[in-house]
Amino acid sequence: MKQNTVIPNVFKGLFNIVLLLVSVACVFPILWILYSSLKTHQEFSLSILSLPTSFHFENYVTVFWEAKLYQYFLNSVFLGVVATILTIMIGFVSGYFLARFQFRGRNALYAMFLFGMLIPVYGLLVPVFIEYKYVGFLDNRFSLVLPAVTFALPIVIFLIESFVKSIPLEIEEASYVDGTNIFTSLIKIVYPMCRPIISTCIILSFLNVWNEFPFSLILISSQELKTLPVGLTNFVGQYSVNYPQLMSGINVAVLPVIAVYLAMHKRIIQGMVAGAVKG
Amino acid sequence: MERTLPKPKGIVIFGFLLPGILINLFIIVIPLILAIYFSLYKFTGGIMGDFVGLSNYAQLVKDGKFWNSFKNNLVITGLSIVGQLGFAFVLAIVLQSKWVKFREFHRTVIFLPVVLPAVVVGFVWTLMYNKDYGILNKLLSSIGLSSWIQPWLDDPGIVLYSVTAPIIWQFIGLYLIIFMSAIQNISSEIYEVAEIDGATGLRKAIYITLPMLADTIKVALMLCIAGNMKIFDNIFVMTGGGPGDSSTVMAQYAYNVSFGQFRLGYGSAVSIGMIILSLLLVLVIRRLMGGTNR
Amino acid sequence: MKRTYKMLSAVLIGASMLLSACGGNNAAPSGNAAAGSGEKTIELTLTNSWSSTSTQAVDVVRRKLIDEYKAENPNVKISEETLDNASLKTKIKTLAAGNNLPDVFMLLGSDARMFLDNGLIMPLNDILDEDKEWKDGFIPAAFNDFDVDGQIAGAPIQMTSTSFVYYNAEIFKNVGYETFPATWDELIDALAKFKEMGITPISMGNKDQWVAGSSLLSALGDRFTGTDWFNSIRDRQGASFTDQPFIDALTAIKQLSDMGAFNSDINSIDHTQQRTAFYNGQAAMFLEGGWAVSSVVNDAPKEVLDNTHLALLPSVNGGAGEAWATAGGSGWAIALNSNLEGEELEAAVKLVKLLSGEKAANMSAELGDSSGSIATDYDKSKSTPLFLEYLDLLEKSKMTPVYDIHLAPSIIQVMNKGLQELLIPSSGKTPEKLAEEIQEAYENS
């Protein structure tokens, strides 16, 4: 690429500055939550933006142990892992079949899966609650798995479907000629080829579960089974909010995801590049 | 589809698709049917009342507050299309250029807000907009633009734009990654040919990148519309739909009716109306764009 | 409803079999024999908003009492759910819609009638009558908010005014007021002088929409209309929201807004943030209920705290209301699920008594807060001057109804949203227009 000769250096400098500002705008709020969590409640009440005068790590000790955030944390991890695995399994298989085969009802089925993207969650809260009550599945360690999987499926099926379409057919054809059955071919041949897009699907579906609030609020009542987003509301009292503690809690919820993202981001971007979402 | 694999029996396909279908039935289809059922009743205060037929819907069609909230959704969606897709597209092209410093850093960092929960985003931005301590007003006054300082979340005339900014901010990263991936998949030969023909940066973007990305852009557009028609959490945290109804979106209105006023029958009708409008919008836009390849 | 269930059941049975394979369902019937002791274990569910990290008296006291209850009743297993206010309201409403309320939970005054009418909660009349000492321990007016045609919906856990003026006496002194203004005109005069000095006259955070309704309109409205008017509204005896005195009250609020008496971010900050400007000495006063006393004591810098005093809104010209009155009530109570019976009911009643009774009141008083019952015996030396001032004021004033506790939620939403608009200086919302809208919602409810 030879834009060097075309765009004046002034603009390049300007663009670089604008980009930096954009990036700073993206990181600053996270840093702000980070340092605010180390202030005392009174310090925070008097000035929202100032840096802490001394570091109060006890906010973390309080939220993690006394407010039992570790329990919510473990629950969220458990739920995140189970739901993500299920989402990927179901999404991978469904996406593959929708991409590779024409059958009656294929378009209707694809539309049904994507329809999930348009559903306003609060509109379904009461019906879902009544349904759960009826089948006796409320307040169970696995209660939240189903909605988590359901609402992550549309994007995952969508990504995998378009990815599979971009893979040439030859390799699979060869395996069928060799007499491999469809199940083995899915695991041994197709899955490895889909790895790049799978890592993107993993982070997206994990984020979806990790941050989910309304269903967690409604379907779970036992303190022992609560997840982080609902657990965090513990820091909001009836007539007062302890912001630094709330922020410590937010950090406990947000930092792991950021860490996972930073660890995986190269593969996620690779996955997106490999998948190159096309209609 | 020009070629297909040897097709497995229908029952095999069905078997593999069954888990996905079941889970969808359980969480979306059946509750949706229940919601439609509720919407035909006067259902207030926890006990089913009388069957009222379609009168909830008749009321909905005449409900100015509902249509006002729909209008707000449209404004937010329109702004997001320009702000998220447009800005992400520009960034994606700029970030391809070698003269941009810290490219890897930018790519990584701009995606970061995507991982934040909507509630946290709303919470953080509320404080950014704060009149006295908010970073936005501090920034404006420090660069000599004190006259631009506004009650960002208090003036009904601008609040809708104020609540849209964080939504745009949060999701630029997602579309940036989608566009960058698509751009990198455009064969470099095409660019080389274009450069021989004398195409410059801007013209390359308009005449090559844009058309080559058409399908990707259509998909991103659908994602953007679907996401913004049901937007709720950020705005709920920032303004609760206020002042008055000036930033109330459809999902907020459905929430107010169902959980604030506890009119679940009418609330269900609002939710169903919302789904119908979103679906219509998506279909109309698809038709206008001539559809994607399916 | 029944038929839908039948229709669904065919589909759901398959699903439920699948799910039960996932195991771990802890919906075990209560009343399992406890191992070893031979005593029966009683399980109770309890839903509340008493956050364990809160420093607010109402929360701290309840947390301590629940621990105490657990220690004294080892055979009762309490599975507790603690949520913030907004989540609590959403959850309780969903549970009510599914007829699946917790055994013991915090009930909002405005839900009381609906839940009782639908038979979801148990009227406490008989239980109260059986324990005279407990019943008589309550502040008599505390039951007003939970008395539905003679049926008592819950045991009140607080009784306070929702509208006190917290003012900085130092700032008032600077503009020549040694005491808090006694008339509306004097107040307006003082506020105008604060404006000139660059001080925010009234700091208000009305983002959550109830603050202007509970802490301003309910009290100011009564000054104009008198309590009889509201009783007539509540009992549908002919009064209307378009009556002139009510419009006058809205006009007075509009007057405040138009003169710039409020901070410009009034509708984007909440009631805890409204105190910040006051703590910094940048606001002369704020309006909030008695619950804020303990927060002010904890959070305000000493020089501000020493100058902070409490007052009622001043009287208005020609108003029908009494001067020594302010809006107040209990607002929240503890309710019992109507399904409870036998030993579970006994255990639940015991819990309710502990959480709402004399002991809770005494503990609250030492922390600077009032409860639903009368505090009889507490260490006054632990109380702060501001709390004593508060008690004194509470004793002298008559409590008038808080609008958003007594009116149906659908009316309240219109009123509170309209108030938000009224509080925007540039808005075209007139008091007359708002009054008409409220009246319309009232007639439709």
Side-chain angles (χ1 to χ4, degrees):
Chain A
M1 301 197 188
K2 298 186 202 158
Q3 286 98 329
N4 287 343
T5 53
V6 186
I7 302 177
N9 283 326
V10 188
F11 280 109
K12 288 181 194 166
L14 221 63
F15 260 122
N16 270 313
I17 292 173
V18 170
L19 269 176
L20 270 181
L21 286 179
V22 171
S23 289
V24 167
C26 288
V27 200
F28 174 76
I30 296 167
L31 293 178
W32 176 71
I33 306 175
L34 211 60
Y35 73 68
S36 295
S37 67
L38 300 172
K39 290 158 88 168
T40 64
H41 183 40
Q42 203 171 42
E43 251 185 290
F44 189 85
S45 298
L46 290 174
S47 169
I48 297 180
L49 265 188
S50 68
L51 289 165
T53 48
S54 57
F55 296 121
H56 292 269
F57 285 102
E58 67 265 23
N59 285 334
Y60 283 88
V61 179
T62 312
V63 299
F64 212 74
W65 296 110
E66 285 171 33
K68 296 208 170 141
L69 214 58
Y70 71 94
Q71 198 169 39
Y72 310 133
F73 186 83
L74 292 178
N75 289 336
S76 276
V77 170
F78 171 82
L79 179 68
V81 170
V82 172
T84 305
I85 291 175
L86 267 178
T87 309
I88 299 300
M89 276 167 49
I90 297 176
F92 170 64
V93 173
S94 310
Y96 175 76
F97 278 89
L98 289 168
R100 279 297 190 238
F101 303 109
Q102 280 298 334
F103 49 89
R104 225 176 54 202
R106 184 252 170 227
N107 290 347
L109 203 60
Y110 189 57
M112 179 181 106
F113 280 125
L114 292 201
F115 181 59
M117 282 192 207
L118 289 177
I119 298 289
V121 170
Y122 278 88
L124 292 190
L125 275 192
V126 173
V128 168
F129 175 78
I130 289 176
E131 199 187 13
Y132 265 69
K133 183 193 164 200
Y134 187 70
V135 294
F137 194 38
L138 284 170
D139 212 17
N140 183 301
R141 189 163 280 290
F142 291 89
S143 301
L144 295 172
V145 171
L146 298 183
V149 172
T150 311
F151 286 100
L153 267 185
I155 184 85
V156 168
I157 288 184
F158 174 76
L159 286 175
I160 290 183
E161 200 260 5
S162 28
F163 184 84
V164 170
K165 277 199 161 164
S166 73
I167 310 177
L169 280 170
E170 284 80 6
I171 306 172
E172 285 160 80
E173 274 174 345
S175 79
Y176 283 113
V177 173
D178 292 347
T180 317
N181 74 24
I182 192 162
F183 192 66
T184 320
S185 143
L186 260 183
I187 295 176
K188 294 240 165 95
I189 310 217
V190 184
Y191 184 79
M193 289 194 292
C194 288
R195 275 228 179 99
I197 195 72
I198 299 268
S199 46
T200 310
C201 291
I202 288 177
I203 188 98
L204 288 181
S205 55
F206 187 78
L207 277 179
N208 177 63
V209 190
W210 189 261
N211 295 338
E212 200 280 329
F213 181 79
F215 284 115
S216 316
L217 171 66
I218 296 307
L219 301 179
I220 296 294
S221 297
S222 308
Q223 215 74 5
E224 308 84 63
L225 295 178
K226 291 220 155 132
T227 54
L228 270 178
V230 178
L232 281 181
T233 71
N234 267 343
F235 301 109
V236 183
Q238 189 178 353
Y239 296 115
S240 73
V241 182
N242 188 328
Y243 284 105
Q245 281 185 4
L246 177 65
M247 299 228 181
S248 313
I250 289 175
N251 280 327
V252 171
V254 164
L255 288 179
V257 197
I258 293 181
V260 171
Y261 163 68
L262 290 179
M264 281 178 65
H265 81 279
K266 284 224 170 88
R267 288 176 63 186
I268 292 165
I269 292 173
Q270 271 169 14
M272 286 289 208
V273 171
V277 185
K278 294 179 193 138
Chain B
M1 204 171 245
E2 54 301 332
R3 299 184 343 169
T4 51
L5 292 169
K7 193 175 162 186
K9 287 200 188 98
I11 186 81
V12 176
I13 297 184
F14 183 69
F16 275 106
L17 291 172
L18 191 63
I21 296 174
L22 277 184
I23 208 165
N24 235 279
L25 278 178
F26 190 73
I27 299 294
I28 294 185
V29 179
I30 296 172
L32 207 57
I33 295 171
L34 263 179
I36 293 172
Y37 176 78
F38 290 161
S39 72
L40 304 177
Y41 282 78
K42 186 175 159 68
F43 184 9
T44 53
I47 289 223
M48 283 299 256
D50 304 327
F51 180 76
V52 294
L54 292 175
S55 75
N56 278 332
Y57 290 96
Q59 192 187 342
L60 184 67
V61 172
K62 287 182 289 180
D63 189 340
K65 288 191 170 168
F66 174 70
W67 292 109
N68 176 56
S69 66
F70 176 60
K71 189 211 78 196
N72 288 343
N73 274 99
L74 288 182
V75 172
I76 292 173
T77 308
L79 290 172
S80 294
I81 290 172
V82 177
Q84 286 173 355
L85 303 192
F87 196 54
F89 185 76
V90 172
L91 278 180
I93 287 175
V94 170
L95 280 176
Q96 301 298 319
S97 312
K98 294 264 189 316
W99 48 264
V100 171
K101 306 267 185 287
F102 318 115
R103 283 197 292 172
E104 190 63 17
F105 169 77
H106 290 311
R107 278 207 298 209
T108 310
V109 153
I110 295 176
F111 189 78
L112 267 185
V114 180
V115 310
L116 298 179
V119 176
V120 171
V121 172
F123 172 67
V124 168
W125 275 75
T126 309
L127 291 171
M128 303 235 288
Y129 279 132
N130 185 285
K131 183 186 61 145
D132 301 313
Y133 314 100
I135 184 145
L136 186 62
N137 284 352
K138 280 216 166 137
L139 207 68
L140 285 176
S141 58
S142 69
I143 55 173
L145 291 174
S146 309
S147 57
W148 287 19
I149 288 179
Q150 298 281 340
W152 300 104
L153 295 173
D154 285 85
D155 181 344
I158 59 171
V159 66
L160 200 53
Y161 308 107
S162 306
V163 297
T164 309
I167 299 170
I168 294 177
W169 171 82
Q170 191 180 10
F171 290 108
I172 284 179
L174 184 65
Y175 297 104
L176 176 67
I177 302 271
I178 291 180
F179 288 147
M180 280 176 53
S181 329
I183 290 176
Q184 295 196 357
N185 265 30
I186 299 176
S187 142
S188 55
E189 284 164 29
I190 299 181
Y191 283 114
E192 281 159 20
V193 172
E195 276 168 32
I196 293 168
D197 290 347
T200 60
L202 186 64
R203 301 185 64 172
K204 276 197 307 193
I206 294 175
Y207 292 109
I208 303 178
T209 315
L210 200 58
M212 292 294 285
L213 252 58
D215 279 347
T216 310
I217 292 176
K218 280 176 194 166
V219 168
L221 192 60
M222 290 303 144
L223 285 179
C224 185
I225 293 174
N228 280 308
M229 290 314 275
K230 61 171 189 182
I231 196 91
F232 176 75
D233 302 309
N234 312 41
I235 302 179
F236 180 68
V237 173
M238 275 189 281
T239 64
D245 291 313
S246 49
S247 62
T248 301
V249 288
M250 289 192 288
Q252 169 88 51
Y253 187 58
Y255 177 86
N256 289 349
V257 172
S258 298
F259 296 102
Q261 308 174 9
F262 212 8
R263 293 157 66 202
L264 287 169
Y266 189 54
S268 299
V270 174
S271 298
I272 301 291
M274 179 178 162
I275 293 173
I276 293 173
L277 286 177
S278 316
L279 204 57
L280 278 178
L281 188 72
V282 167
L283 292 178
V284 166
I285 301 265
R286 275 187 75 130
R287 179 54 67 84
L288 284 179
M289 294 191 316
T292 55
N293 53 4
R294 62 172 157 270
Chain C
M1 210 68 220
K2 277 242 165 66
R3 212 184 310 142
T4 324
Y5 282 151
K6 272 183 191 156
M7 264 159 38
L8 287 177
S9 61
V11 187
L12 296 187
I13 280 168
S16 63
M17 282 161 73
L18 194 85
L19 300 177
S20 55
C22 298
N25 196 332
N26 43 14
S30 39
N32 285 345
S37 69
E39 228 184 323
K40 270 185 166 182
T41 301
I42 300 164
E43 289 189 21
L44 285 181
T45 52
L46 167 67
T47 303
N48 59 54
S49 69
W50 302 315
S51 158
S52 59
T53 57
S54 164
T55 51
Q56 204 90 23
V58 57
D59 304 320
V60 175
V61 169
R62 270 35 180 229
R63 288 251 67 83
K64 276 190 192 153
L65 288 172
I66 290 171
D67 288 343
E68 193 175 297
Y69 183 89
K70 284 178 181 164
E72 281 173 11
N73 302 276
N75 63 325
V76 181
K77 182 172 174 279
I78 300 181
S79 38
E80 201 188 337
E81 174 164 31
T82 304
L83 297 164
D84 71 300
N85 239 16
S87 305
L88 180 77
K89 288 176 190 166
T90 306
K91 176 130 194 183
I92 290 294
K93 289 204 163 100
T94 312
L95 296 181
N99 194 2
N100 203 27
L101 284 169
D103 297 332
V104 183
F105 65 98
M106 271 172 70
L107 172 74
L108 192 61
S110 51
D111 287 339
R113 176 176 293 273
M114 204 148 54
F115 287 4
L116 267 184
D117 284 352
N118 292 336
L120 298 173
I121 54 174
M122 188 180 287
L124 296 186
N125 300 49
D126 295 344
I127 300 167
L128 280 162
D129 289 339
E130 275 168 25
D131 188 343
K132 278 273 175 240
E133 200 183 330
W134 177 48
K135 184 184 181 184
D136 296 340
F138 281 99
I139 299 166
F143 286 115
N144 289 353
D145 294 345
F146 293 91
D147 183 335
V148 178
D149 307 328
Q151 289 188 311
I152 304 293
I157 47 168
Q158 60 182 33
M159 179 63 198
T160 185
S161 164
T162 58
S163 172
F164 281 127
V165 177
Y166 292 73
Y167 70 99
N168 187 325
E170 176 86 18
I171 298 180
F172 271 82
K173 219 173 271 174
N174 289 343
V175 296
Y177 285 92
E178 292 292 326
T179 58
F180 192 77
T183 67
W184 185 255
D185 294 335
E186 276 177 20
L187 179 67
I188 296 290
D189 172 65
L191 298 184
K193 285 178 177 151
F194 297 140
K195 268 302 288 171
E196 281 166 27
M197 290 166 56
I199 284 177
T200 305
I202 307 173
S203 179
M204 185 174 274
N206 192 35
K207 177 179 159 186
D208 299 329
Q209 301 184 345
W210 56 263
V211 179
S214 293
S215 301
L216 179 57
L217 180 64
S218 291
L220 191 60
D222 189 79
R223 291 278 185 278
F224 283 94
T225 65
T227 311
D228 290 343
W229 174 85
F230 186 80
N231 290 339
S232 166
I233 283 273
R234 187 185 53 196
D235 305 334
R236 306 215 172 232
Q237 298 293 316
S240 153
F241 284 100
T242 51
D243 291 341
Q244 196 55 42
F246 185 73
I247 293 180
D248 289 343
L250 294 177
T251 310
I253 292 177
K254 177 88 178 145
Q255 179 193 11
L256 290 177
S257 169
D258 284 345
M259 71 177 284
F262 301 105
N263 40 312
S264 64
D265 55 355
I266 178 166
N267 286 323
S268 65
I269 61 173
D270 66 24
H271 65 103
T272 61
Q273 291 164 316
Q274 74 182 4
R275 302 171 197 152
T276 305
F278 184 81
Y279 293 164
N280 290 337
Q282 291 160 350
M285 58 187 263
F286 69 94
L287 293 161
E288 209 171 331
W291 57 79
V293 170
S294 64
S295 282
V296 174
V297 170
N298 280 329
D299 296 337
K302 193 173 179 309
E303 60 277 16
V304 172
L305 178 60
D306 291 345
N307 285 312
T308 303
H309 295 285
L310 294 170
L312 303 181
L313 283 172
S315 57
V316 298
N317 268 342
E322 292 171 40
W324 279 103
T326 185
S330 36
W332 290 92
I334 303 181
L336 293 177
N337 192 314
S338 56
N339 295 334
L340 287 172
E341 53 185 32
E343 286 178 325
E344 281 177 47
L345 179 59
E346 248 171 64
V349 167
K350 208 166 155 189
L351 180 62
V352 174
K353 284 181 184 171
L354 184 65
L355 294 174
S356 64
E358 189 183 326
K359 186 163 186 179
N362 289 338
M363 286 166 74
S364 300
E366 284 182 5
L367 290 172
D369 200 0
S370 56
S371 176
S373 292
I374 301 157
T376 47
D377 173 30
Y378 62 99
D379 186 352
K380 283 204 175 60
S381 67
K382 285 188 185 166
S383 306
T384 57
L386 192 64
F387 178 66
L388 295 175
E389 203 179 320
Y390 158 71
L391 281 187
D392 180 54
L393 202 55
L394 204 58
E395 205 168 298
K396 281 186 198 152
S397 348
K398 193 187 122 194
M399 290 287 158
T400 66
V402 183
Y403 293 172
D404 40 342
I405 293 174
H406 289 274
L407 297 174
S410 54
I411 308 171
I412 291 307
Q413 265 217 337
V414 173
M415 183 184 283
N416 285 353
K417 274 192 178 289
L419 274 175
Q420 264 198 338
E421 291 175 73
L422 199 67
L423 288 168
I424 304 164
S426 60
S427 87
K429 186 72 96 183
T430 62
E432 290 78 11
K433 177 92 181 36
L434 175 57
E436 274 166 31
E437 284 172 12
I438 300 172
Q439 178 64 18
E440 193 191 324
Y442 174 63
E443 282 165 12
N444 288 337
S445 73

